Amino acid sequence: MSGSLLNFSHDEINLAIRVVLGIDVLYFVAAGVYFFVRNERLASKAGQHGNITYTTPFTIHTGIAWGSPECPLEIREQYFRLRRQMLLHGAIAAIPVLVYLVLLRPYFH
């Protein structure tokens, strides 16, 4: 074993980049589905407290009117926590793609 990353061939590095980006896409899709399901469950829970959910005509996402006076504080806090987690996981999933686009794309594509 040679012990240096510089001894890998161009094709081996290109394959490793593709594998990492493929895993990253799978993570992004799985996290998106997970947060979609959690949002829908929260919207279902919020719907029990009054008419504080809405749908838009072109999406399958159910929104929660967190600013409504009918919306309980518990639902509002859970909604904001879910949004923060979704943003954090999206940012984490974007890191490998950004590293590739900024640093590696000119050399490996």
Side-chain angles (χ1 to χ4, degrees):
M1 186 166 162
S2 54
S4 173
L5 288 175
L6 298 176
N7 291 335
F8 288 113
S9 72
H10 182 82
D11 291 333
E12 291 171 334
I13 294 172
N14 199 12
L15 177 65
I17 289 170
R18 290 178 187 271
V19 167
V20 168
L21 291 178
I23 291 170
D24 187 57
V25 167
L26 288 176
Y27 171 75
F28 188 75
V29 169
V33 169
Y34 172 75
F35 284 114
F36 174 76
V37 169
R38 290 224 12 230
N39 182 75
E40 293 302 314
R41 290 182 71 200
L42 184 60
S44 174
K45 184 178 176 182
Q48 296 173 355
H49 294 283
N51 190 16
I52 56 174
T53 60
Y54 61 91
T55 57
T56 56
F58 301 111
T59 65
I60 57 174
H61 181 268
T62 303
I64 299 171
W66 54 267
S68 170
E70 296 177 22
C71 185
L73 184 60
E74 174 191 353
I75 299 292
R76 183 178 302 148
E77 289 173 354
Q78 287 179 3
Y79 181 70
F80 285 139
R81 188 177 318 118
L82 180 67
R83 296 294 298 246
R84 280 192 303 270
Q85 289 175 350
M86 189 170 52
L87 181 63
L88 175 67
H89 286 272
I92 289 170
I95 290 172
V97 174
L98 291 174
V99 167
Y100 170 73
L101 289 175
V102 172
L103 301 176
L104 301 175
R105 189 168 187 262
Y107 306 105
F108 302 100
H109 59 282

